[in-house]
Amino acid sequence: MSPPERLVLTVALDFDGVTYPFTRAVSAWAAETGRAELPAEPDAWAYWREAGLDDNEWAELLGAFADDDGYRREAPYPEALEGMNGLFDAGCDLLGVTSRPPSRVVHTSTFGWVADWMLPLRAVLIGPNAKLEAECDLVVDDDPEVLAALDDLGEAAGLLLDRPWNREADGPRVGWGELPAAVAVLADAVAGVPPSERKWALVDAVADFFCEAPVQDW
Ligand SMILES: [Mg+2]
């Protein structure tokens, strides 16, 4: 029996800030419950500190948010829903990955949300190491630290999804509108590359895809 034909690329998509409008969900929930005033579209990573919460208070707030089914309350970003379906229809194998704490309520909300929106994900991995351990070619994330960790330790290349809260980070970034075209170019770049060389071929292809015209040094 011959092996199944290889899909274009296996792409792991982060949830919060990539497919799920996490900041909007937390902001609305925190206002409804009278817990805090938080921006729906923050322009900094640790934005809860600007709102007067320390890191422990933020963690406690997120626990209560999760317990209240907060990870299931918002629709996906429309462009993410369209982009996910486009990638799937183009032959990509899609995974969902999230560092949400793997409690039963988080599992229920996360898997429930994927079902609510009929998202074309083959598998969902939840937990602090999910993004590093996912067997995939590319991880799309909005957290620059995740991309740095992938470079050092991960199985896959990373791509930073452009959001207002990560604009201070260096390096290439992509919006949902450009992602399907970027994935197609990357898939072509690594076609036929042996699995053992695939990650670094992809890292190079990401750099090539985003490189600007070289400055001529006269
Ligand atoms: Mg995220």
Side-chain angles (χ1 to χ4, degrees):
M1 195 171 139
S2 58
E5 195 174 330
R6 180 97 175 94
L7 295 169
V8 176
L9 277 187
T10 299
V11 181
L13 301 167
D14 177 33
F15 282 75
D16 296 320
V18 172
T19 58
Y20 187 68
F22 166 80
T23 55
R24 191 187 308 162
V26 173
S27 169
W29 175 84
E32 282 169 22
T33 56
R35 283 178 167 263
E37 281 185 36
L38 293 162
E41 297 290 329
D43 57 7
W45 188 263
Y47 67 98
W48 54 92
R49 294 179 196 154
E50 290 173 20
L53 300 177
D54 65 29
D55 291 357
N56 288 333
E57 289 168 330
W58 174 242
E60 192 272 329
L61 182 143
L62 284 189
F65 171 77
D67 287 344
D68 206 10
D69 216 13
Y71 291 115
R72 202 175 180 176
R73 58 177 285 150
E74 292 282 333
Y77 289 108
E79 66 274 23
L81 188 57
E82 188 180 334
M84 268 189 278
N85 287 330
L87 288 172
F88 182 78
D89 291 344
C92 282
D93 178 29
L94 299 180
L95 309 178
V97 287
T98 177
S99 309
R100 292 172 183 172
S103 65
R104 286 181 62 184
V105 69
V106 166
H107 278 243
T108 303
S109 298
T110 304
F111 284 101
W113 186 75
V114 169
D116 291 344
W117 292 95
M118 296 169 57
L119 304 184
L121 304 175
R122 174 169 59 81
V124 174
L125 305 171
I126 300 174
N129 293 324
K131 294 167 183 177
L132 295 181
E133 294 174 350
E135 290 186 16
C136 61
D137 297 308
L138 194 63
V139 175
V140 179
D141 208 284
D142 63 321
D143 182 351
E145 288 192 6
V146 167
L147 299 199
L150 278 170
D151 255 4
D152 293 341
L153 303 167
E155 302 289 327
L159 208 49
L160 185 67
L161 193 84
D162 185 36
R163 292 294 184 201
W165 48 86
N166 64 28
R167 299 244 159 94
E168 290 184 356
D170 295 331
R173 57 192 59 239
V174 66
W176 265 108
E178 307 145 275
L179 188 60
V183 168
V185 169
L186 299 179
D188 279 350
V190 297
V193 173
S196 61
E197 296 166 28
R198 203 169 160 90
K199 173 183 173 180
W200 296 109
L202 267 167
V203 169
D204 288 345
V206 168
D208 287 349
F209 182 78
F210 288 102
C211 79
E212 294 171 0
V215 177
Q216 288 206 327
D217 185 9
W218 297 103

